[in-house]
Amino acid sequence: MYGEVISTERLSAHLVRVVLGGAGLEGLTSTGDADEYVNCFFLPEDAPYPVPFEDDATRDLPRAQRPFARRITVRRWDAERGELTLDIATHGEVGYAGRWALHAQPGDRLQLRGPGGGYRPHADADSYLFVGDESALPAIAACAEAVPAGRPVVVVAEVEDTEDEIAISSPGALEVHWVHRAGRTGDDAVAGLLAEAVAALPRPAGTVSAFVHGEAASTRAVRRVLLGEAIVAEDKLSCSPYWRRGHDDEEWRAVKAAWVREVNAEVFPAR
C-alpha cells in the first residue's frame, strides 16, 4: 500500500504529525491494537524508482539505492475518511523517517506494509501504566485513549525538555509525569531516568496493565523495576526496545533480536 501526504503538523520540538490519504490506502484494515504500526519504506534521495514500487525491482540495486524500512506507530486510522495519521520522531537531518517527515509536502507518497500490533490495554486491569520516551509517545497517547473510562492511568514520559511535551488525553483518570533529560550527562544516568521515576511512584493496588517502550537500556531498567518488585505480572506487561543509544538504525536492527532474548531470559525472585 501507499499513502499520499495530505498535511503535516509539528506537535513538539521533535515530533511531526503526517496525515496520509488517497486510493493507495484502500484495503487497509486496523488491528484494533493500541500500539498498531505500519512498516514504512523511505526512499534514498537518488532512488531510481517512484512510489509505488515492486519489491522485486529494488532487491538487486546497490544498498544505498534500496528503500529503508522503518516501523512507525499508527496514531490514528480513520476508515471513513481513509486517512492514516503517523506521528514521527525527528532529530534534524538524522534518520530516514524523521528527515522524510520534516520535509514531507502534500502529494508526496510513502509506501507501507501492514498494519501489525501486539498490545491493547487489558480490560480486566484495575489500573494502567504507560512508560517511554519520544519514540513511544504516539503509542502511549493511543494507549491512554483506549482504556476503560474512570480507571487510573499513569503516564511516565521521558523527553529532552518542556518543548517536547505533548497533550495526552484519556477517558481514564489520567496522571502524567514528564521526565526531562536536559542537563543530565552520561549514558548510564540517562538510561536510569525512567526507572527512577517509575520506582518513585506510589505502589498501585490490584492488577496493572503496563506498556513500556523506547530506548533499549531504559526499557530494560523499567522492566527490572516492574517485574523485580512484582508491580506488574509478566503477562500484563508489553516491553519492547524501539532503539538503542549509541547505535544507528541499521546497527540496532542487527543486534536487536539477541538483546531481546537476553532481556526476556532475566528471572526475578517470587515476591
Side-chain angles (χ1 to χ4, degrees), residues 181-230:
R181 289 187 303 272
R184 303 289 186 124
T185 58
D187 287 351
D188 291 342
V190 174
L193 286 176
L194 282 174
E196 291 170 8
V198 169
L201 294 172
R203 187 180 183 90
T207 300
V208 180
S209 175
F211 179 86
V212 180
H213 289 228
E215 196 278 326
S218 293
T219 56
R220 185 177 196 172
V222 173
R223 182 179 185 272
R224 285 170 170 166
V225 171
L226 295 181
L227 296 182
E229 298 299 322

Side-chain angles (χ1 to χ4, degrees), residues 13-233:
H14 296 96
L15 197 63
V16 172
R17 171 164 293 172
V18 181
V19 180
L20 302 172
L25 293 178
E26 289 181 3
L28 191 153
T29 302
S30 175
T31 65
D33 294 317
D35 67 339
E36 189 170 46
Y37 62 84
V38 286
N39 288 306
C40 298
F41 299 89
F42 297 96
L43 273 56
E45 291 183 6
D46 59 348
Y49 50 90
V51 173
F53 58 86
E54 295 294 335
D55 289 345
D56 289 345
T58 68
R59 288 197 178 104
D60 294 331
L61 292 173
R63 182 66 192 96
Q65 293 184 343
R66 298 201 298 269
F68 290 84
R70 297 292 182 265
R71 185 174 288 183
I72 304 295
T73 297
V74 172
R75 183 61 183 86
R76 187 173 294 108
W77 165 241
D78 187 328
E80 285 190 13
R81 298 172 63 91
E83 293 182 357
L84 180 68
T85 299
L86 307 177
D87 292 351
I88 301 176
T90 65
H91 300 281
E93 296 300 314
V94 177
Y96 291 95
R99 185 166 64 244
W100 179 86
L102 283 175
H103 298 287
Q105 298 293 323
D108 288 352
R109 291 179 171 184
L110 177 64
Q111 190 146 320
L112 53 92
R113 185 181 298 138
Y119 174 82
R120 58 187 72 184
H122 296 83
D124 60 346
D126 297 297
S127 64
Y128 302 89
L129 175 64
F130 306 136
V131 183
D133 57 25
E134 294 96 332
S135 66
L137 274 181
I140 287 173
C143 288
E145 293 174 356
V147 305
R151 295 191 198 170
V153 181
V154 175
V155 169
V156 182
E158 176 196 319
V159 295
E160 184 64 21
D161 54 34
T162 56
E163 292 186 352
D164 284 302
E165 296 178 9
I166 64 170
I168 298 175
S169 60
S170 175
L174 179 64
E175 180 181 317
V176 180
H177 299 266
W178 292 103
V179 178
H180 296 158
R181 289 187 303 272
R184 303 289 186 124
T185 58
D187 287 351
D188 291 342
V190 174
L193 286 176
L194 282 174
E196 291 170 8
V198 169
L201 294 172
R203 187 180 183 90
T207 300
V208 180
S209 175
F211 179 86
V212 180
H213 289 228
E215 196 278 326
S218 293
T219 56
R220 185 177 196 172
V222 173
R223 182 179 185 272
R224 285 170 170 166
V225 171
L226 295 181
L227 296 182
E229 298 299 322
I231 297 169
V232 178

